[in-house]
Structures are given as C-alpha cells and as structure tokens.
Amino acid sequence: MTWRRPIRPIALALAPVLAFSASVALHAQAPQNDLASVQRHLAATQTMTADFTQTDRNGRVLSGQLTLKKPGKIRFQYEKNVPILLVSDGKSLYFLDYQVGQKQRWPIGNSPLGILLNPERDASKFARVVPSNDPRIVSVEAYDPKRPEYGRITMIFARQPSAPAGLMLQGWVALDAQANRTTVRLTNQRFNVPVADSAFRFNEPRRVRR
C-alpha cells in the first residue's frame, strides 16, 4: 500500500478506547449479567494481540497489529510502508511520524488512559451499556461530558465462550469532537499470550532537514 499522510491516524481516536478497555465501571441500570461479563473480561485480559483494520470517514483503510500488555503498555504497529507508530511504554503514549520526524507525547495519567494504570478510577460517569437488538452483541459507549475533546467511543463485544468471561472485543467506532468517524475492527484476537516488554520500545524519529 502507498502511504498517504492525510488519512486520519488511529492515535486521534485511540486514547479513550484503550483507557476504556482497561477498566470500566458501568451505569447501575445496565443489565447486570452484561456488566458482570464485561468487568470479568477486562479483569481477565492481561495481554492481547490482534490484527486491526482502521477505516476513516472517507473510506480510506489502514491495517496493522495491536499488542497490549497490562499495566499500560500498548502498541499499534501499522502495515509496511506506513511510517507511523502509536505506542505506550506504561508511562506515556507516543504518536511517532517517521515521515516528517515528529513525536507527540501524552502523559497517561493526564488522559483517559490513566484508567489503564489505575483500576480504581471510576468511569461510571461516562460509560454505559448500549441496548442491542442482537443478543450475541454487547455494546459499550464511553463519553466524558467534562472532556469533549476525547470524543465518543462505542466498543463492540461478541459473546464467545472461548474468550475471557465469554466476551470477545470485536472493535470500536470513535467520533471525535468534530464528528469525524473512525472505525476499527479486530481479527485473530489472542488473549494472555506471552508478550515481552521489548515489544513497546521504539526508535526515535529523525527530524527532516529542509
């Protein structure tokens, strides 16, 4: 695939998703069985790997591999010839653009990703189970009205007996503050497999000289 930089990177929609998939406290009115299943799934998932496909609002697609390790380590490795990387080393989340030699950093503790490191943080004020007409699906929406810049995330779980707590994270739909829509789909999910800490290291991007 030829890299075209205008495509919206997953980093712009990722932080609330990753935070939410780490530890979620849901509204009390959510179905009790779904609440318990989601919480057990998240608690039981210490590592995960998966292939991902990201589609932006214009229908442009990127793919790659997700690697997650608690607490706080996440990597989105894009396909060959896409010179960007999103990675967290457990303390900070970095978006690296090797094409232009740029690195952006967000402290995890100052973003929703802090939930990943602090399971006691209460997310009940901005999370809810969304009713579904398909009994095989559990949808969970996260939105913090105090931080509209984080946008809105709807995560999709499928009921699958072989997955932790009988739920499989299938992906999510993210809407940013400007209503830009990004859809992420996961395949080949593997849970609690060995993941080395070295998987979350990265090379520093070099600034482009003009």
Side-chain angles (χ1 to χ4, degrees):
M1 165 176 184
T2 301
W3 165 244
R4 293 182 299 169
R5 197 170 187 278
I7 191 167
R8 170 180 164 80
I10 200 171
L12 301 183
L14 182 63
V17 177
L18 296 177
F20 197 55
S21 58
S23 175
V24 180
L26 302 176
H27 286 307
Q29 61 264 37
Q32 186 64 33
N33 58 340
D34 288 345
L35 169 61
S37 295
V38 169
Q39 290 177 323
R40 288 197 303 269
H41 169 88
L42 298 173
T45 302
Q46 297 303 309
T47 69
M48 183 179 75
T49 64
D51 297 327
F52 72 86
T53 301
Q54 169 198 332
T55 306
D56 73 3
R57 64 174 183 173
N58 297 317
R60 291 174 293 189
V61 179
L62 291 179
S63 61
Q65 185 172 57
L66 162 68
T67 305
L68 179 149
K69 183 177 183 179
K70 294 180 181 178
K73 296 182 175 68
I74 298 142
R75 184 185 185 100
F76 275 76
Q77 182 68 56
Y78 285 86
E79 62 195 276
K80 187 178 180 180
N81 299 325
V82 176
I84 59 176
L85 174 67
L86 182 69
V87 60
S88 169
D89 60 5
K91 297 179 180 179
S92 299
L93 178 69
Y94 297 92
F95 176 64
L96 309 167
D97 188 329
Y98 293 99
Q99 186 176 51
V100 298
Q102 184 180 50
K103 178 172 74 173
Q104 295 176 271
R105 173 184 174 272
W106 299 273
I108 293 175
N110 294 341
S111 76
L113 202 57
I115 299 174
L116 190 61
L117 299 178
N118 182 11
E120 297 180 357
R121 183 175 176 182
D122 183 11
S124 62
K125 295 180 180 180
F126 53 89
R128 70 186 184 97
V129 172
V130 180
S132 173
N133 293 326
D134 189 340
R136 299 168 298 178
I137 299 298
V138 177
S139 300
V140 186
E141 183 185 61
Y143 173 66
D144 186 351
K146 295 182 179 180
R147 296 186 179 274
E149 66 273 20
Y150 292 155
R152 189 182 302 265
I153 299 294
T154 302
M155 300 182 68
I156 310 300
F157 295 87
R159 301 185 195 276
Q160 185 166 319
S162 61
L167 290 178
M168 178 78 74
L169 178 60
Q170 299 290 87
W172 57 83
V173 178
L175 289 175
D176 68 11
Q178 290 74 45
N180 294 308
R181 182 186 183 97
T182 303
T183 301
V184 174
R185 294 181 174 87
L186 303 180
T187 57
N188 300 321
Q189 299 93 321
R190 299 178 64 202
F191 299 95
N192 299 327
V193 296
V195 174
D197 288 340
S198 59
F200 307 96
R201 297 172 185 165
F202 58 89
N203 296 323
E204 293 286 337
R206 297 181 179 180
R207 292 191 176 275
V208 178
R209 294 182 179 180
R210 297 182 179 179

